[in-house]
Amino acid sequence: LLRWVNEYYPGIFQKPELSSEIDCAALGKLLPKELLEPLEEQYLSKQKTDLSDYMNQVLQLEDRKWTSGEEAKREDGCYTSPLAYDIIQGINGMVKAAEKVTGNRQKAQTITHQLPGFMTKYKHLQSVLQVNKQISHIKASLCCVEQFRDVLLGKNHLFPHEVKEECLGLLMDIEQSAHSCLLIPIHKILKPQYKKLGTTDWLRKNGFEKLWRSLEVELLKFQDVPHLGRQELIGRLHQEVTEEYVRRLLRTDVKLKDREQQQRAYTIVTQNAESLNALFSRMGSKQDW
């Protein structure tokens, strides 16, 4: 009934043979407002419930895979998950249908008010994965984050502003948490090399080489992270390693007694910085200072 009232009925008068003869706007709606609005509210309420149920089913399906210990699937060598794609397709189809039925985009968008609640559940389950060190699924989640972010930023017609902003914030939390889970172990591995930075041995022997080699080994382990997620992840590690490098140098108590030592220290720092940037750039970082 709603689709007939809001889509088919107005469409009849847009036909060339009628549009020039009949003023559709003057005719008004087929049903009066007091009858139309309750029907629309009932329809939208049902759509909200259906979308919420659908999203929960998708999440439960993924959760069963996680709890079973099943490894995430790979596509083109990278871990991936169908969760974001399935949710996005569901939202896209239901919002478009609701817009046709109600004839109003803003009303249709209201069915996505369930999305932040879904994201909150997803965030909680991701934290469980991180506690359990289910690395393949954590890497796959970065693919989901990018897919969700792309649709939130690129398809504004699907979401009210407040829904978009809240979801983007939740996605940022999920991404940052996943990054920390993947990067903290690397910093622990690098800690012995960090300790040598800014020391007399570092100045004499340039102990940076071991740090560089360890970094290269660890960075290669991220080749199974989807491209955009990998770029963000490696970019964050690039920033954190650089910050740690600078922090160690600032804390050094090495005395540069003459110009030769000062020049050597300058050369080493310059070479180290160039080597770090070259390594991270080769691995996908877009950080630039």
Side-chain angles (χ1 to χ4, degrees):
L1 177 59
L2 279 174
R3 194 160 190 181
W4 174 259
V5 171
N6 290 323
E7 182 183 359
Y8 299 143
Y9 172 71
I12 291 172
F13 298 105
Q14 291 173 5
K15 293 181 178 180
E17 59 269 27
L18 294 178
S19 60
S20 60
E21 302 293 333
I22 300 174
D23 184 357
C24 182
L27 289 175
K29 292 281 189 179
L30 189 59
L31 288 179
K33 186 177 180 180
E34 59 269 21
L35 291 178
L36 186 59
E37 287 187 349
L39 285 174
E40 289 179 342
E41 289 175 7
Q42 183 181 3
Y43 168 78
L44 291 171
S45 177
K46 177 68 165 54
Q47 292 301 100
K48 289 176 186 177
T49 300
D50 288 350
L51 180 58
S52 181
D53 289 345
Y54 170 74
M55 291 192 296
N56 285 332
Q57 287 170 8
V58 172
L59 189 57
Q60 287 168 8
L61 181 62
E62 284 297 291
D63 189 32
R64 283 198 290 271
K65 294 178 185 177
W66 300 335
T67 54
S68 71
E70 180 182 337
E71 189 174 76
K73 302 295 183 185
R74 290 181 187 245
E75 287 184 11
D76 299 324
C78 296
Y79 289 114
T80 187
S81 166
L83 182 140
Y85 177 83
D86 290 344
I87 297 296
I88 290 165
Q89 290 299 104
I91 290 173
N92 187 59
M94 294 182 77
V95 172
K96 284 184 176 179
E99 185 175 353
K100 285 185 176 181
V101 170
T102 62
N104 186 299
R105 175 172 291 179
Q106 287 184 322
K107 289 180 179 179
Q109 288 176 340
T110 62
I111 69 173
T112 66
H113 283 165
Q114 317 298 318
L115 188 57
F118 165 82
M119 290 281 187
T120 301
K121 293 177 185 176
Y122 180 55
K123 176 183 173 182
H124 170 71
L125 290 174
Q126 285 298 308
S127 68
V128 175
L129 288 178
Q130 291 161 19
V131 169
N132 294 332
K133 305 298 182 187
Q134 291 178 266
I135 300 301
S136 70
H137 290 290
I138 295 168
K139 290 178 176 179
S141 74
L142 294 175
C143 173
C144 289
V145 166
E146 292 301 331
Q147 289 175 331
F148 277 129
R149 185 179 285 142
D150 284 349
V151 76
L152 285 163
L153 293 174
K155 294 192 174 182
N156 289 323
H157 63 284
L158 294 177
F159 310 98
H161 177 75
E162 65 275 13
V163 168
K164 181 182 80 170
E165 292 302 312
E166 187 174 357
C167 288
L168 287 172
L170 288 164
L171 288 173
M172 178 65 74
D173 292 343
I174 294 168
E175 181 181 58
Q176 293 298 315
S177 183
H179 284 179
S180 295
C181 182
L182 294 170
L183 297 183
I184 286 173
I186 293 178
H187 289 300
K188 288 181 179 178
I189 291 170
L190 298 178
K191 191 172 182 179
Q193 278 76 51
Y194 286 151
K195 288 182 176 180
K196 296 176 183 177
L197 296 173
T199 64
T200 303
D201 284 345
W202 165 79
L203 190 59
R204 289 174 180 169
K205 303 175 184 177
N206 194 2
F208 175 79
E209 187 67 27
K210 286 185 179 179
L211 174 63
W212 190 95
R213 286 201 298 268
S214 296
L215 260 176
E216 184 178 37
V217 169
E218 296 305 316
L219 285 167
L220 287 171
K221 295 177 182 177
F222 292 148
Q223 294 304 301
D224 53 11
V225 177
H227 174 67
L228 288 177
R230 181 168 68 247
Q231 182 176 304
E232 294 291 331
L233 177 64
I234 292 177
R236 176 168 166 180
L237 182 60
H238 187 181
Q239 179 178 339
E240 291 178 354
V241 170
T242 302
E243 289 173 352
E244 185 63 26
Y245 181 94
V246 173
R247 188 181 300 114
R248 294 282 176 171
L249 292 189
L250 292 175
R251 286 164 50 185
T252 183
D253 55 2
V254 173
K255 305 298 182 183
L256 303 176
K257 298 179 180 179
D258 54 44
R259 184 170 180 78
E260 182 180 348
Q261 286 184 335
Q262 292 170 3
Q263 183 61 43
R264 176 169 174 75
Y266 169 79
T267 301
I268 289 173
V269 170
T270 301
Q271 290 174 345
N272 289 176
E274 290 173 350
S275 295
L276 268 182
N277 283 332
L279 174 61
F280 277 105
S281 295
R282 174 161 59 87
M283 294 296 182
S285 172
K286 298 300 180 184
Q287 294 282 7
D288 187 24
W289 294 283

